[in-house]
Amino acid sequence: MKLVFATNNKNKIKEIQSAILGKMEILSLDEIGFSGEIPEDYDTLKENALQKATYIATRFKVNCFADDTGLEIEALDGRPGVYSARYAGSQASAENNIDKVLMELKGESNRKALFRTVISLKFNNRDYFFEGIVKGQILESRTGEEGFGYDPIFQPDGFLQSFAEMSVAQKNKISHRGLAVQKLVQFLDGKIT
Ligand code: ITT
């Protein structure tokens, strides 16, 4: 089975290809000949994920999914949440976003946070959603070189490493995206057999 992953984020593709490991063929936007930005106009993860998947599915008439992800920090009333990509401004890098979070949490003892991923799947013209959550703590400073985005400052509960100290396979086993993808695969397995 072929499925297009509507994302411009190469790290997400790497993680999802590793999680799916040959169970189905994941096509990137490059592979279907799309380049450009997909709009994300909403203020919920579910609506943004649906918008991204719909944008590609309607233009290319393909089965397709998209993921929208946010980091929700308890002491910041759930911010950056759906605004995680551009938390420090419209041109912000991951470095800038992390700096802003660390500054806002300076002296804060409540470091609780969670990552949430919502996957929107357009399959045979119907919509399906899958959510994955991982709880953890925001570290005092960056640790590790792997991963992307906020990974160097997020330590999942039950582990002594940040996500940026884990391999893709280790992160996938416990991460927000890994858990959402497991649900997606389970659903599609049921459709194939
Ligand atoms: P697409 O919309 O093209 O898929 P994006 O990078 O804009 O790519 P999101 O809006 O879902 O993706 O992600 C919001 C930001 O949250 C993203 O820019 C990353 O910095 C961060 N992020 C997403 N998933 C993450 C993960 O697994 N680990 C750490 N940070 C993550």
Side-chain angles (χ1 to χ4, degrees):
M1 180 190 291
K2 284 187 185 181
L3 211 51
V4 175
F5 185 13
T7 182
N8 286 311
N9 185 325
K10 300 265 184 285
N11 291 293
K12 285 187 183 179
I13 295 188
K14 192 169 142 193
E15 286 189 2
I16 286 197
Q17 271 168 343
S18 160
I20 285 177
L21 271 184
K23 291 198 184 88
M24 59 195 81
E25 192 181 342
I26 302 297
L27 299 177
S28 66
L29 293 177
D30 282 349
E31 286 168 310
I32 61 165
F34 175 85
S35 58
E37 286 294 309
I38 306 175
E40 277 182 62
D41 297 325
Y42 293 93
D43 50 19
T44 66
L45 298 177
K46 187 175 177 182
E47 287 170 299
N48 278 335
L50 177 62
Q51 185 182 24
K52 291 188 259 190
T54 305
Y55 191 85
I56 295 302
T58 51
R59 276 167 182 72
F60 290 86
K61 307 276 179 280
V62 286
N63 287 328
C64 166
F65 69 98
D67 132 353
D68 206 45
T69 295
L71 174 65
E72 301 173 17
I73 299 174
E74 193 171 279
L76 301 180
D77 300 322
R79 292 192 315 276
V82 70
Y83 306 109
S84 293
R86 284 157 198 90
Y87 192 45
S90 59
Q91 303 300 318
S93 64
E95 289 300 295
N96 304 146
N97 290 334
I98 288 181
D99 285 343
K100 180 166 179 183
V101 164
L102 291 179
M103 206 177 66
E104 289 185 328
L105 288 182
K106 217 170 194 162
E108 173 61 62
S109 57
N110 176 8
R111 316 288 298 190
K112 284 186 195 159
L114 62 84
F115 269 118
R116 187 191 305 272
T117 287
V118 176
I119 289 178
S120 161
L121 170 69
K122 303 284 272 188
F123 188 75
N124 296 346
N125 298 316
R126 296 182 72 160
D127 291 315
Y128 303 91
F129 297 93
F130 307 94
E131 187 177 82
I133 289 175
V134 60
K135 293 184 177 177
Q137 304 279 327
I138 302 296
L139 297 169
E140 297 283 344
S141 59
R142 293 168 171 82
T143 320
E145 304 290 330
E146 304 298 320
F148 68 100
Y150 296 92
D151 281 346
I153 57 165
F154 185 86
Q155 181 174 291
D157 287 346
F159 293 82
L160 295 173
Q161 305 125 289
S162 76
F163 268 161
E165 292 178 288
M166 296 184 181
S167 66
V168 170
Q170 279 175 307
K171 182 182 166 191
N172 268 337
K173 270 191 206 154
I174 55 167
S175 78
H176 44 302
R177 181 165 301 101
L179 298 175
V181 172
Q182 282 169 30
K183 293 180 188 172
L184 168 77
V185 169
Q186 215 166 28
F187 169 82
L188 290 171
D189 270 350
K191 293 281 168 193
I192 298 165
T193 51

